[in-house]
Amino acid sequence: MSIKRVYDKEIIDDLSITDDRLFNALDELKIVNKFLGGNSSSAKALKIFCKSINKNKIDVIDVGAGASDTVYTNHKYINKIISIDKNAGACKYLKNENTEAFVICADTSALPIKNNSIDAVHASLFLHHFTEEELIIIFKEYKRITRYGFIINDLQRAFIPWIGIKLLTMIFSKSKMVKNDGPLSVKRGFRKKELITLFYESGFTKYIIKWRWAFRWIAVVFNK
C-alpha cells in the first residue's frame, strides 16, 4: 500500500521543548536504534564509506545528533565525533550522557564549520524532518564542509513500517512524543527514487543506497 509523503511537524521539531519530554523521548530512541537497526545500519554505512575512500577511520560530524548513539556505538570506524543539534535541550542531554562529547548547538543548513574541514557528515533519523527544497540546501552545505561526502540513515516510507511502529509505540512507549512522532516519521520518510532525485538535484552523481532492517535506507554520498 502506497503512502504519500507528508510534511506535518513532529512534536520533537518544537525547539522550545527542552525538558523531560525530550529527554524521555531520546532515551526511548536509543532503545529503538539498538533493537530496530539504527546502530547496525550506521555501522554498515560507515564501513562502506571508509572502504570507498580507503581509510580505516574517519572524522565525523553527527547532525541532528540527539543522543548521537548511532555514532558513539561505532568507534571502530570513527576517530573524532562532533555532535550538532539545534535544540539546546538535546545538546544538554548529550553533554550529561557523555561528558567527553564535543557538542555544538547550530542549524544544519548553516553550520559553523570551515570548508572541507571534516571527512564526513552523518545524519541518522534526521533528514526526514525537512522538505525536498530544504534538503537540497542542506546537502550542498554538507558538501561545503566535508572532504569526502555524507552518510544517511533514515526511514523507508511504506505501510508495513508505519503500522508496525504505530503498534510498537502504542504498546511499549511511555513517551507522548514518541507515540506521535514515530508513525509520523515513517510517513515523512523516503522511497529510493526520491533519494536519487534529491542527490541529482543537489549535484551529487556518486552514491550507494542500500535497504536495511528494520525498514531503513542507508545512503553513502560522495562529493566526487
Side-chain angles (χ1 to χ4, degrees):
M1 184 182 295
S2 177
I3 296 179
K4 185 178 180 180
R5 189 166 194 240
V6 302
Y7 300 93
D8 301 351
K9 290 295 184 182
E10 299 176 35
I11 296 175
I12 203 169
D13 291 322
D14 183 351
L15 299 179
S16 69
I17 300 177
T18 59
D19 51 29
D20 284 345
R21 290 172 294 172
L22 175 64
F23 304 154
N24 293 337
L26 292 175
D27 283 340
E28 288 195 7
L29 286 174
K30 287 197 291 186
I31 297 172
V32 169
N33 281 325
K34 182 177 181 180
F35 292 105
L36 292 180
N39 298 344
S40 61
S41 293
S42 284
K44 180 67 174 179
L46 286 161
K47 182 179 180 180
I48 293 170
F49 195 97
C50 289
K51 184 177 181 181
S52 298
I53 64 171
N54 198 28
K55 280 196 168 192
N56 293 324
K57 290 188 174 186
I58 56 175
D59 297 335
V60 170
I61 289 180
D62 189 34
V63 293
S68 259
D69 47 308
T70 52
V71 287
Y72 276 104
T73 55
N74 284 302
H75 276 293
K76 179 179 179 181
Y77 305 104
I78 301 174
N79 281 315
K80 179 175 70 176
I81 300 168
I82 299 173
S83 299
I84 294 182
D85 202 295
K86 193 175 181 180
N87 188 305
C91 295
K92 178 182 177 181
Y93 174 94
L94 181 51
K95 288 178 181 178
N96 288 340
E97 291 288 304
N98 186 344
T99 56
E100 297 181 358
F102 187 83
V103 185
I104 300 173
C105 283
D107 187 336
T108 191
S109 62
L111 295 166
I113 305 294
K114 293 181 180 179
N115 293 353
N116 309 118
S117 59
I118 197 80
D119 291 331
V121 164
H122 171 271
S124 177
L125 294 184
F126 177 57
L127 296 176
H128 66 261
H129 290 269
F130 300 94
T131 66
E132 286 80 1
E133 292 77 15
E134 290 168 333
L135 286 170
I136 291 171
I137 294 170
I138 289 168
F139 290 165
K140 290 179 178 179
E141 178 71 351
Y142 295 168
K143 184 175 184 179
R144 178 187 70 80
I145 68 172
T146 59
R147 301 184 188 100
Y148 301 105
F150 59 94
I151 295 165
I152 296 172
N153 174 356
D154 220 309
L155 300 171
Q156 177 193 12
R157 188 177 77 253
F159 178 76
I160 292 175
W162 173 73
I163 195 66
I165 200 65
K166 193 173 183 68
L167 291 172
L168 284 172
T169 53
M170 187 184 303
I171 296 168
F172 295 109
S173 177
K174 297 180 181 179
S175 166
K176 178 182 177 181
M177 185 180 290
V178 171
K179 287 181 178 180
N180 177 82
D181 290 1
L184 181 54
S185 290
V186 174
K187 294 176 76 173
R188 295 178 71 174
F190 304 99
R191 295 197 178 98
K192 185 176 181 178
K193 287 184 178 180
E194 293 168 347
L195 289 173
I196 292 171
T197 298
L198 282 167
F199 298 153
Y200 175 78
E201 292 181 351
S202 304
F204 296 94
T205 58
K206 186 179 179 182
Y207 50 82
I208 299 168
I209 303 174
K210 291 184 178 292
W211 185 89
R212 297 281 297 177
W213 176 258
F215 297 97
R216 290 176 183 252
W217 296 114
I218 55 170
V220 177
V221 186
F222 302 98
N223 292 344
K224 56 184 179 181

